[in-house]
Amino acid sequence: MWSIGMTTVLIELANIRKSYGGQDGTPAVEVLHSIDLSIGAGEFIAIVGASGSGKSTLMHILGCLDQPSSGSYRFAGKDIAAFSADQLAQLRREAFGFVFQGYHLIPTLDASHNVQVPAVYAGVDASVRSERSASLLTRLGLGERLDYFPKQLSGGQQQRISIARALMNGGQVILADEPTGALDSATGMEVMKLLSELAEAGHTVILITHDLKVAAQAKRVVRIHDGRIVEDRIPVMPDSIRHPEGTSHGSAVASSSAVTGLRVQPAMTDSGHAIGLAEAFASAWRTLWVSRFRTLLTLLGIVIGVASVIVLMAVGKGSSEATLSNLAAFGSVHRVQVWPDTDPNHGQNAGLSLVDVETVREVANVQAIVPFNPQQGLLVAGEQSFSTWILATGSEGMEVFNLRMQSGSYITREDEEQMAAVVVLGIGTRGRLFPDESINPLGQYIQINGLPFRVIGVLQETGDDEEDNTVMVPFASAAHRLWGSQDAGAVQLRVGDLAQLDQTVIGIGNALELARGARDFRVFNDAVRVRAQNEASRQQALLLSLIAGISLIVGGIGVMNIMLMSVKERTREIGIRMATGARQSDIQRQFLSEAVVVSLTGGAIGLVLGMGIGAVLMLLGVPVVFSVRAMLLAFGCALATGLVFGWMPARAAARLRPVAALAGE
């Protein structure tokens, strides 16, 4: 914290030189030559010179906006040559207040927030700085224009705002660079009277001007010519300049009441930390809202990318789960099939038997098992007839095939033992054999290949047309009455624990090979096929999501481009912020926050849009399953896009030199 006494030497310049060029083959041009200057605390000093004399360069060095090529600059007894960029920013923030010819107000901020800028970088609480800003502007006659933007104010009003900003953190040293240059004569006199009263109140005022009349109002005049101090004197100021007609008492703006209470304030305690995230995001939002149409265009890439990722992943997952659900309806997820194959020793198909069924039943993790011998047959019921598959199976078929009864009952163990002539109809078969819905098929007889079978049950719809248009009969009944063979056809089984599926399949193969003496069969793992289909669906959804993610990358490039343009367009604003005490980290965080706000806003809109599109697709019957993980991924990618593509423009902004930034357009 800088504490300055009224009688101490505040600023000491010794043999200060400043050169430009000398790099890349360009000749060096020396602008300042061996400047020696001491300024005491509380002085009102004017540095006067013609255009090109070096006075602005000297002002930049005095305000720590630029550094000399050589020489010594001591402030309050401390040599600032060894100061880091952050320490120089702290010095500007705590000790200096700048009043520029062009006012240098930030166009996207209103009067109150323009004045608050130095206090923001000093870490002052929002309510405290708002109160102090209102107090300063009220004392300067702008109490009713706190929410006015610079373009809504006159030149004199803007200059008073810049003076209030200079006083926000105490303004122990006021550096005024041509403060009347852009003002009419009457307003210029008012501003000069205000600076004089600030000097009388104890502020050190350093006035840079080319106007000798303006300079004559200071207590000390230093004239500079061709980069050298050629005169240092105390002027004798005529009354006509000290009290110009019409402004001695009549100006409400420059009257003593305007500066009542504007005294040297203790330097505000520095927080030692960069501008807070909340403040950075609030400032970013204000800036982006002013240019909201351009911001909206920048958002589109992010919005489209996020919405695309969410919708495509939701549709992909919905399709995958719909496939799994359909397969699960047929028991395919947990089902394993064993079919006969060619005997490698004899070259013949050996077939499977009921003994093989019992061999497989003993394998661990086999939950349910049935023989399965499907053959074509003719069904007749009254005047209705058609050919379909007759499925000869066992009493555990409901569990193996994951079936549900609509009415009646399924094949029982007793039906198998008694070789009962009973049949269970698929829902499609029931409709074809008994088209009159008023007729209850239970207890009715139908003919299968000319033999009567009594209907004991009707299955619920499975969703598969072929499955729904079959009939099921006890295996023993079919073998004895229909096929005339005890050939099991195939073995269908359901496993209990899917995690042990692979071991179960191996166990089945080993058990059958041992019992039969040859590997003349094939084991079909339906769950593997299901997993493969599911993986293919997942990969397809991932591919679609990656394609959608390209939109995020394109959106990110758009963010980077717009931020680079923003840095170029707002170079002077960056200089203003640096002059009022912003650290490099503050500037970087400011621009990075803007990129993140754009990305997060686009992400939020994309999230809502994606869910809305998904809801419409659901109404249209498209299987959609929203994934919180996908939403978080899309939103996280939007945030990462802002961070990654906003970092380069933010870094470019932070590395600008204050004096070069202030000179930017």
Side-chain angles (χ1 to χ4, degrees):
M1 186 174 75
W2 300 94
S3 181
I4 302 167
M6 292 294 293
T7 59
T8 60
V9 173
L10 178 59
I11 294 174
E12 294 178 272
L13 303 182
N15 197 27
I16 292 293
R17 294 177 179 272
K18 180 63 179 180
S19 300
Y20 294 104
Q23 298 175 346
D24 300 327
T26 59
V29 177
E30 192 170 44
V31 179
L32 296 180
H33 310 275
S34 301
I35 298 294
D36 296 309
L37 181 64
S38 294
I39 300 174
E43 273 198 273
F44 185 7
I45 178 174
I47 298 176
V48 64
S51 178
S53 63
K55 63 183 185 300
S56 293
T57 301
L58 179 57
M59 177 263 192
H60 293 150
I61 292 174
L62 286 170
C64 299
L65 298 173
D66 201 1
Q67 294 180 326
S69 301
S70 63
S72 171
Y73 177 6
R74 302 182 71 84
F75 184 89
K78 296 183 179 180
D79 190 344
I80 70 168
F83 279 26
S84 66
D86 281 356
Q87 288 174 317
L88 289 174
Q90 181 182 353
L91 180 58
R92 291 193 296 268
R93 183 167 58 250
E94 293 190 356
F96 289 103
F98 294 90
V99 180
F100 298 101
Q101 175 181 354
Y103 323 129
H104 283 359
L105 301 179
I106 299 175
T108 57
L109 300 181
D110 58 28
S112 176
H113 284 93
N114 261 290
V115 174
Q116 292 178 43
V117 170
V120 169
Y121 297 120
V124 180
D125 183 74
S127 59
V128 174
R129 64 176 187 256
S130 178
E131 182 180 349
R132 177 156 173 75
S133 169
S135 176
L136 286 167
L137 289 173
T138 298
R139 292 168 186 166
L140 293 175
L142 296 172
E144 296 181 355
R145 289 176 170 79
L146 300 181
D147 57 352
Y148 280 46
F149 287 86
K151 65 181 180 181
Q152 299 173 299
L153 301 168
S154 67
Q157 290 170 331
Q158 291 186 59
Q159 194 63 289
R160 276 181 277 155
I161 292 173
S162 70
I163 292 173
R165 181 181 62 195
L167 296 169
M168 185 65 188
N169 283 358
Q172 295 169 318
V173 180
I174 305 294
L175 270 166
D177 182 19
E178 299 281 7
T180 63
L183 304 176
D184 59 72
S185 57
T187 306
M189 290 178 185
E190 294 172 353
V191 169
M192 283 307 303
K193 185 168 181 59
L194 180 55
L195 291 176
S196 297
E197 292 177 351
L198 289 171
E200 291 173 2
H203 296 268
T204 300
V205 179
I206 302 174
L207 174 65
I208 310 296
T209 183
H210 69 280
D211 192 329
L212 292 175
K213 291 184 178 181
V214 172
Q217 299 180 58
K219 301 293 181 65
R220 176 185 172 193
V221 176
V222 173
R223 189 162 66 89
I224 188 170
H225 180 71
D226 289 341
R228 293 181 172 85
I229 292 178
V230 296
E231 185 178 15
D232 188 345
R233 63 185 176 84
I234 298 175
V236 177
M237 185 170 59
D239 287 342
S240 60
I241 296 178
R242 185 181 299 276
H243 300 294
E245 184 178 356
T247 64
S248 58
H249 300 289
S251 174
V253 174
S255 67
S256 296
S257 63
V259 291
T260 299
L262 299 183
R263 299 293 183 260
V264 177
Q265 301 290 327
M268 306 190 83
T269 302
D270 183 34
S271 66
H273 300 285
I275 179 175
L277 281 175
E279 180 61 40
F281 280 117
S283 179
W285 180 257
R286 285 193 295 267
T287 300
L288 293 171
W289 182 251
V290 172
S291 306
R292 48 189 173 273
F293 181 72
R294 185 171 69 176
T295 301
L296 179 61
L297 294 178
T298 308
L299 288 175
L300 286 179
I302 305 294
V303 170
I304 294 171
V306 171
S308 299
V309 169
I310 291 173
V311 172
L312 290 177
M313 291 190 75
V315 171
K317 187 172 183 180
S319 299
S320 178
E321 292 197 3
T323 301
L324 284 175
S325 178
N326 289 336
L327 290 172
F330 311 136
S332 297
V333 176
H334 290 75
R335 193 193 306 174
V336 174
Q337 304 179 47
V338 183
W339 290 84
D341 200 2
T342 303
D343 185 337
N345 298 321
H346 303 92
Q348 296 179 351
N349 192 320
L352 295 174
S353 68
L354 295 178
V355 174
D356 295 321
V357 175
E358 296 307 314
T359 299
V360 174
R361 188 187 299 277
E362 298 302 319
V363 176
N365 199 37
V366 173
Q367 190 177 60
I369 185 169
V370 292
F372 183 72
N373 193 350
Q375 294 193 29
Q376 285 280 342
L378 177 66
L379 305 182
V380 177
E383 298 180 355
Q384 309 299 324
S385 65
F386 76 103
S387 294
T388 188
W389 285 99
I390 315 300
L391 306 181
T393 187
S395 59
E396 298 177 46
M398 280 191 68
E399 188 173 2
V400 172
F401 300 112
N402 197 31
L403 301 175
R404 298 290 182 273
M405 300 302 300
Q406 184 186 72
S407 60
S409 61
Y410 189 71
I411 300 167
T412 65
R413 185 173 296 275
E414 289 76 13
D415 293 331
E416 291 189 85
E417 293 173 351
Q418 296 172 11
M419 293 185 291
V422 294
V423 62
V424 176
L425 307 181
I427 188 68
T429 304
R430 182 247 185 266
R432 299 185 68 171
L433 294 180
F434 300 97
D436 187 351
E437 294 184 359
S438 64
I439 298 176
N440 184 359
L442 298 181
Q444 302 285 336
Y445 280 86
I446 67 170
Q447 292 183 23
I448 302 177
N449 292 344
L451 298 176
F453 281 76
R454 181 170 55 89
V455 178
I456 62 171
V458 178
L459 296 172
Q460 286 186 6
E461 182 179 3
T462 65
D464 183 274
D465 186 65
E466 186 177 22
E467 296 279 347
D468 289 337
N469 284 279
T470 60
V471 296
M472 290 185 169
V473 297
F475 179 83
S477 301
H480 178 71
R481 296 172 180 271
L482 299 175
W483 316 147
S485 169
Q486 294 294 319
D487 187 352
V491 177
Q492 300 268 6
L493 63 99
R494 178 184 178 89
V495 298
D497 186 1
L498 278 178
Q500 301 179 33
L501 176 63
D502 293 337
Q503 296 93 315
T504 305
V505 170
I506 293 172
I508 291 170
N510 292 337
L512 283 175
E513 184 175 5
L514 180 63
R516 295 171 63 88
R519 202 169 189 89
D520 54 354
F521 57 88
R522 297 182 65 185
V523 181
F524 292 90
N525 187 348
D526 283 9
V528 170
R529 178 173 58 86
V530 171
R531 284 205 300 262
Q533 291 178 341
N534 186 40
E535 180 64 19
S537 298
R538 193 184 70 82
Q539 293 292 340
Q540 185 179 24
L542 179 60
L543 178 61
L544 292 173
S545 299
L546 289 176
I547 295 173
I550 294 174
S551 298
L552 277 175
I553 297 175
V554 173
I557 294 173
V559 171
M560 181 171 65
N561 187 40
I562 207 70
M563 293 307 300
L564 285 172
M565 290 178 57
S566 181
V567 170
K568 186 174 181 180
E569 293 173 356
R570 295 162 59 193
T571 300
R572 181 168 292 177
E573 177 190 332
I574 295 169
I576 295 169
R577 293 182 181 275
M578 288 181 169
T580 53
R583 311 159 184 82
Q584 288 185 341
S585 58
D586 292 329
I587 299 299
Q588 183 162 327
R589 185 173 297 190
Q590 171 73 37
F591 281 85
L592 195 57
S593 296
E594 292 180 16
V596 171
V597 167
V598 168
S599 299
L600 288 182
T601 304
I605 296 174
L607 184 63
V608 174
L609 180 61
M611 293 180 68
I613 294 174
V616 172
L617 292 175
M618 291 174 69
L619 292 175
L620 295 175
V622 177
V624 174
V625 176
F626 289 111
S627 168
V628 175
R629 181 179 179 183
M631 294 179 184
L632 292 176
L633 175 64
F635 201 75
C637 287
L639 175 59
T641 296
L643 289 171
V644 172
F645 289 96
W647 182 81
M648 184 183 296
R651 184 169 177 265
R655 298 181 72 177
L656 289 173
R657 291 169 51 240
V659 66
L662 279 170
E665 295 296 333

